Amino acid sequence: MRLLYDFKALFDRYGVGVGSFVAVVISLWVFILILLPQIAMIDMSFGHNLPPAERGGPNDVYTLSNYAYFLFGNDGGFNTLHLTIMAKTVIASVVVTVFDLILCYPIAYVLAHGAKPQAARLMIIGLIVPYWVNEVLRAFAFRILFGSTGLVNGVGLALGLWSDPIDFIREDVALYAGLTYAYILLMIFPIYNAIEALDRNQIEAARDMGASWWRIHWRVVIPMAKPGIASGSTMVFMLTTGSLAAPQILGGPSNLWFTQLVYQWFNEASNWARGSAYAVILVAVCILFTFLMMRVFKVSIGEIGR
């Protein structure tokens, strides 16, 4: 009903021609490029890894073995390796999301209420321009920066902060820094859009009543920014858990990202059924995180999607 109401409003505002075009394009996008691939992946995840000649035959039946393998492996015990990789990926994604939130909230506030319009536009351009560079190239740039002979180690050694080069790659410092930087815009702009709608007079009134800086943000700004914080956190978490290039380039030799497991099942083991099951599990984790954000910040899915 909500979708029909939105389409009716679209027709009323732009006319039947433009409204029909937009409705058809959105429908094709949602059903062909989003829903159908997901349905196909879910269907494949409940199947056996059969050669093409046996597909559709008596052995091609639904099974839960691919999901059972994620939990128990082949020997019946817990699949501690893959469960640990999933846990590490989720925890690392939460840490990156928190880093981005701490870093981006002050920037978004300054853009919305602290800087003059000309300065704000220059700041936005300065944030966007670096992202004209491909994500893979930016990941390699971080690997160079944090390498044993890179800029970070060079400055640290020159200032006497440490006596020997630190292996930031093995310690995953480069990975966390690269992922935090990779999705920083997806945290800034949702928070900026939410804070920008805040009436500046509310902040001035709170100051006139003697409220401290932290109390103004806690009681006035953050409640207004909750949808933006939830939206930004959801997008950063999802893209971090689903990242593949950055973990492969910046991750240490002992750090395996869950997306790398999915990649291995699809491309190295040629087991598309199990790869689909692992991909479905990853999608389910991201959906659960979205619901968690909705509950923590007490916002609806519509507010997150704005």
Side-chain angles (χ1 to χ4, degrees):
M1 292 299 295
R2 174 70 180 177
L3 183 61
L4 293 175
Y5 175 80
D6 290 339
F7 279 140
K8 182 179 183 302
L10 185 66
F11 293 145
D12 293 341
R13 182 172 183 178
Y14 295 106
V16 177
V18 175
S20 299
F21 174 77
V22 174
V24 169
V25 170
I26 292 175
S27 299
L28 290 175
W29 179 275
V30 171
F31 289 104
I32 296 179
L33 298 179
I34 298 177
L35 286 181
L36 290 181
Q38 296 296 328
I39 292 172
M41 185 174 65
I42 292 172
D43 179 72
M44 188 178 295
S45 71
F46 289 103
H48 291 281
N49 185 38
L50 300 174
E54 296 186 23
R55 292 172 189 170
N59 295 327
D60 192 3
V61 296
Y62 287 114
T63 177
L64 294 173
S65 60
N66 296 312
Y67 294 94
Y69 182 88
F70 170 71
L71 294 174
F72 305 110
N74 287 324
D75 56 4
F78 281 110
N79 190 351
T80 54
L81 176 60
H82 290 183
L83 290 171
T84 301
I85 291 171
M86 168 59 85
K88 288 175 61 178
T89 301
V90 171
I91 293 172
S93 300
V94 171
V95 171
V96 169
T97 302
V98 172
F99 282 167
D100 269 337
L101 178 58
I102 294 173
L103 182 64
C104 295
Y105 175 81
I107 298 174
Y109 179 79
V110 170
L111 285 173
H113 289 290
K116 295 181 180 180
Q118 183 68 24
R121 285 192 290 269
L122 291 175
M123 290 176 65
I124 291 174
I125 292 174
L127 289 169
I128 293 176
V129 167
Y131 287 84
W132 292 357
V133 179
N134 183 272
E135 180 183 357
V136 176
L137 296 179
R138 283 188 272 116
F140 275 111
F142 268 86
R143 188 175 182 90
I144 294 172
L145 284 173
F146 286 94
S148 58
T149 59
L151 178 64
V152 176
N153 264 311
V155 172
L157 292 171
L159 296 177
L161 299 179
W162 51 83
S163 57
D164 297 311
I166 298 175
D167 193 347
F168 291 109
I169 305 297
R170 184 178 292 274
E171 298 297 330
D172 292 329
V173 175
L175 176 60
Y176 280 84
L179 288 172
T180 300
Y181 177 76
Y183 308 116
I184 193 172
L185 293 184
L186 297 176
M187 183 69 78
I188 288 178
F189 287 122
I191 299 176
Y192 165 76
N193 290 332
I195 295 178
E196 191 181 30
L198 177 64
D199 188 353
R200 192 184 298 268
N201 291 327
Q202 292 182 274
I203 299 175
E204 296 299 331
R207 287 175 179 168
D208 293 341
M209 295 178 68
S212 60
W213 179 89
W214 71 268
R215 192 170 182 82
I216 291 173
H217 282 270
W218 184 254
R219 299 297 297 272
V220 178
V221 182
I222 291 180
M224 189 70 180
K226 284 196 300 183
I229 294 174
S231 177
S233 299
T234 300
M235 289 191 291
V236 170
F237 178 85
M238 286 183 171
L239 290 174
T240 303
T241 55
S243 179
L244 179 62
Q248 286 187 325
I249 296 170
L250 298 173
S254 61
N255 186 9
L256 193 63
W257 216 250
F258 195 76
T259 47
Q260 292 172 283
L261 287 180
V262 178
Y263 177 86
Q264 289 174 3
W265 284 123
F266 275 107
N267 294 279
E268 297 178 11
S270 296
N271 192 335
W272 283 45
R274 189 156 293 167
S276 297
Y278 275 52
V280 170
I281 292 170
L282 186 62
V283 171
V285 170
C286 292
I287 292 174
L288 289 174
F289 184 83
T290 301
F291 286 131
L292 177 62
M293 289 295 97
M294 291 168 57
R295 187 173 184 84
V296 169
F297 292 102
K298 296 181 173 62
V299 296
S300 65
I301 191 67
E303 291 177 298
I304 290 179
R306 286 178 186 173

